[in-house]
Amino acid sequence: MIITLNATASPSEVKRALIDHGLWVEELVGQGRVQFRVESHSAQVPIELVQALPGVELVTTRASTHPRVDQQPKVVEVGAHQVGVGQPTAYFAGPCSVESEDHVRRLAAKLRGYGVKFLRGGAFKPRTSPYAFQGHGEPALKWMKKAAAENGMALVTELMGAEERDLVAEFADLIQIGSRNMHNYALLKHVAGAKKPIFLKRGMAATVEEWLGAGEYLLLHGAPAVVFCERGIRSFDPSTRNLLDLSAVAILAGLGQPVVVDPSHAAGRRDLVGPLARAAVAVGAHGVMIETHDAPGRALSDGPQAVLPEQLEQILKGLDALSAGSKA
Ligand code: PEP
Ligand code: MN
C-alpha cells in the first residue's frame, strides 16, 4: 500500500506509528508529498487504522486481479462433504488411473476405513507419451461412481477436453483441471458452465497470481467454487519429480482459500509422500490428495509414487495426530 502524508504531517512520527504496528515501511523519495510504501503482508493491520493516523492524507492499495476468488466461500461443498477453512483435513485418495471396476471398488472400500471422503482416479489421463495408457474413459467413470457411492465418498476426476465436460460432470462431484490445462482459458470458461465445483491444479510453471487468475476465470464463468491444489512446480533438480511449493500453500491458506496439496505428483516418490503430506498440513493445507494402489508395481500409471493402502492408513493417522496436536 502507498501512504501519502498531508503537508503538515511529521513524517518521522507517521513512520514510527507504522513501524510500531509491525509494518515494514520504505520512504519513497522525490515524489513531492512524502509517501511511504508499506508491505501489507508484513503485519495484519486494518487499512482504516492506517487511514486514521494523524498526518495521513491518502492510502491507496492495488486493486485485486481476482475479486471473485477473494470473495468465494472459505468452505467448498463437495457432494455431502466439505473442504476448507475450519474443516477436518480432507483426505483425497485413489489410484492414478481407474483400472477396473473390481479394482477401484476394492480400493475404495479400504480407503473409506481410513477416513478418506474423496475418491480420486483418472478416466481421461494426460500422459506425456501418446503410447502410454490413456485411461479407460467413460466406463472408468461408471466404475468409479459405483465405488464412490457405495462408500459414501465424493468423486473427483480430471477432465481434459471440452467435449468431455457433460459426461464428466454427470459423474464427478468435483471436476479436476490438471496442471497442464490450468492455462487453457477456453477450457476453463467452458468447464465453468457445468456449474460444478472445480479442483484446480496449479500449472507446473504458474505463478500464484496466474493460479488465482485461473480460478477467477472459473468463478466468472459460472463455477460455484474452486479448490486450489498445489502439486509441485518444475525445478532444476531431478531428485524429485517436481518441487513442492509450500510457500504458495501458506499464501493461499493465509488468504483463506481452500487449498489442498498433492504430494504424490510433487515428489514422484513413495518415500516422500508421508513427510510432504505432514509438511502440507503444518503450513495450513485443508487437505491432501494421495495416489494409492494395492500393487504399485502393476499400476497402469504413476506406480513409483503410489503408496500401499496400509501406508496410506499410517500417513493419515499421522495427519490426524498433527491436526489434533495443533488444536490442543
Ligand atoms: C492427476 O492428478 O492425475 C494428474 C495428472 O495430476 P497433475 O495434473 O497435477 O499432473
Ligand atoms: Mn498420477
Side-chain angles (χ1 to χ4, degrees), residues 95-97 120 125 241 265 291 301-302 305:
C96 177
S97 307
R120 67 140 286 140
K125 293 301 304 174
R241 185 173 177 182
H265 291 91
E291 286 189 346
S301 55
D302 284 351
Q305 68 201 31

Side-chain angles (χ1 to χ4, degrees), residues 66 69 72 74 85 200 202 207-209 211-212 226-230 245-260 283-286:
H66 38 76
V69 170
Q72 77 156 337
K74 291 180 165 25
V85 178
L200 180 62
R202 181 181 181 185
T207 64
V208 169
E209 274 295 292
W211 191 18
L212 294 169
V226 177
V227 176
F228 292 91
C229 177
E230 160 64 31
D245 182 2
L246 290 171
S247 308
V249 179
I251 290 173
L252 263 68
L255 294 172
Q257 291 299 329
V259 60
V260 169
V283 298
H286 304 114

Side-chain angles (χ1 to χ4, degrees), residues 62-113:
R62 202 160 54 91
S64 172
T65 54
H66 38 76
R68 286 177 169 78
V69 170
D70 297 343
Q71 280 158 32
Q72 77 156 337
K74 291 180 165 25
V75 177
V76 177
E77 302 287 332
V78 181
H81 305 295
Q82 291 79 32
V83 188
V85 178
Q87 301 301 307
T89 307
Y91 298 146
F92 296 73
C96 177
S97 307
V98 177
E99 301 188 355
S100 73
E101 177 173 338
D102 181 54
H103 186 251
V104 71
R105 289 174 70 193
R106 270 190 292 116
L107 193 55
K110 277 195 177 167
L111 300 181
R112 177 184 58 178

